[in-house]
Every structure is written in structure tokens, then in C-alpha cells.
Amino acid sequence: MFRAIISQSDVLQFVATNPECLSKETRGRSLRDLNFLATSQPRLPVCVKDVLPTIEAYELMETEGVSAVGVVDGTGRLVGNLSGSDLRGVRESQVAQLLLQVKDFLDLQQRQSHRVAHEEPLPCLAVRAGDTLADLVSKFRESRVHRLYVVDDNDGAPVTVITLTDMMRFLSTVDAVCPSYVC
């Protein structure tokens, strides 16, 4: 009989609230120094320009076999993320929304999800290679997303993507310090 299912997000939440599980040295090292970018199988993220019709972005996701794409502006700077979950709540009568440019579609989805105009926009889901492991864990925890993009320090262009699965793979390779209340 199952009592509970533990998700990747649950594991990350535990690490975030119990940072002593990882050595202070490991938490404070940069993603670059930890070879984390190599751990996440450096891959150029699939990206679309924010002016592309949304339906074409979803077609590209299908063609590339990915569940999300980074959204970049005209300069190549990461400005957002489009995934299958953005289709939640789109009714049959609203299918024409898929003809909107990606930036307009995402803006509409944000407004329709009851975010009021004076609220902060959704955070851009990005980290930098110089950010620490603690920064990465914190960003995953705060944003509650399944992927974060590593962006170039100079122009903000996405250079790779790190998923929760990548995080789990990485955490399984480091020596963890087991707190006494867990062991």
C-alpha cells in the first residue's frame, strides 16, 4: 500500500529547507566549478523568437521532441518559457489564441490566470554559470518550475537548460551529509 509519492520537487524542497544536507563548500561553489553544466549534458536549448505564432512554437516542440522552449527577444535574450502546461485552460472556443505571437499568448495566459496588472511579472527562469548550487536550488524552489535556463553573462542568451531530472542526477553524485533527524 502506498502512503506517499515523493516527487523531484519534494526532494528539491527538502534540500532547500535543509541546506546542511550538502556540504557548505558544495552549496557555495558555482555551477561552472561543480561541472554542473557538463552534468546537465550541455545542450543548446530549443528556443523560439517571441514574435513567432504560438502554434508554430508548439509544432517545433513536437518536431524537436521537447516539452518546452525558451522564448527569446529580437536580440536573443531569454524572456520566457513556453510549455505544454501553458495550454491549460485554453478552451475550444479560444483555440484562435494559438495564432497570437508567443509573447502575446504568454501575456494573455498570465492575465487569464488571475494575475492582476500591478503584480510582478513571472520571473524569468534563468540562472548564470557563476551562480552557486544554493542559488540554483533556491531558484527552482521559488519558481516551482521543471527547468531553468543558464544564460550568457553578457547578452542573456540561453546557453543550456537544467531540468529537475538533471538536478536529481547531480544530487545523486555528491556526498550528502545526513542530518541526525533523518538518519
Side-chain angles (χ1 to χ4, degrees):
M1 170 188 264
F2 288 104
R3 297 186 80 189
I5 295 175
I6 299 174
S7 69
Q8 293 176 332
S9 297
D10 294 332
V11 172
L12 201 64
Q13 176 74 17
F14 178 82
V15 171
T17 56
N18 299 280
E20 66 278 7
C21 288
L22 300 172
S23 73
K24 193 172 189 177
E25 178 188 358
T26 300
R27 289 191 313 263
R29 292 180 66 195
S30 74
L31 302 177
R32 182 184 303 108
D33 290 344
L34 290 169
N35 292 322
F36 198 89
L37 303 182
T39 302
S40 65
Q41 306 163 10
R43 55 188 175 259
L44 290 176
V46 178
C47 293
V48 298
K49 292 197 175 180
D50 59 358
V51 294
L52 186 73
T54 304
I55 189 75
E56 290 182 30
Y58 280 112
E59 288 171 356
L60 179 65
M61 288 168 55
E62 175 66 25
T63 300
E64 294 291 326
V66 295
S67 59
V69 291
V71 179
V72 296
D73 64 14
T75 66
R77 183 178 58 90
L78 182 71
V79 295
N81 179 73
L82 178 72
S83 71
S85 64
D86 293 311
L87 290 172
R88 261 186 261 149
V90 175
R91 296 184 182 96
E92 187 177 339
S93 62
Q94 299 168 314
V95 170
Q97 292 175 1
L98 297 175
L99 299 175
L100 296 171
Q101 293 179 348
V102 172
K103 64 182 176 184
D104 296 331
F105 176 79
L106 290 174
D107 183 55
L108 181 61
Q109 294 310 305
Q110 184 175 345
R111 283 184 281 135
Q112 289 178 344
S113 68
H114 307 294
R115 294 191 192 289
V116 291
H118 67 275
E119 276 189 39
E120 291 275 323
L122 289 175
C124 193
L125 310 173
V127 293
R128 298 183 184 279
D131 288 348
T132 65
L133 180 61
D135 295 333
L136 181 65
V137 169
S138 178
K139 189 81 168 198
F140 265 119
R141 177 185 183 197
E142 292 166 9
S143 61
R144 296 183 173 170
V145 296
H146 293 105
R147 72 197 52 80
L148 291 171
Y149 296 89
V150 179
V151 296
D152 183 88
D153 289 334
N154 297 317
D155 61 10
V159 294
T160 192
V161 62
I162 300 172
T163 65
L164 279 178
T165 300
D166 296 328
M167 270 302 290
M168 295 305 106
R169 235 180 248 123
F170 176 79
L171 290 173
S172 72
T173 67
V174 297
D175 289 331
V177 179
C178 189
S180 60
Y181 55 85
V182 175
C183 298

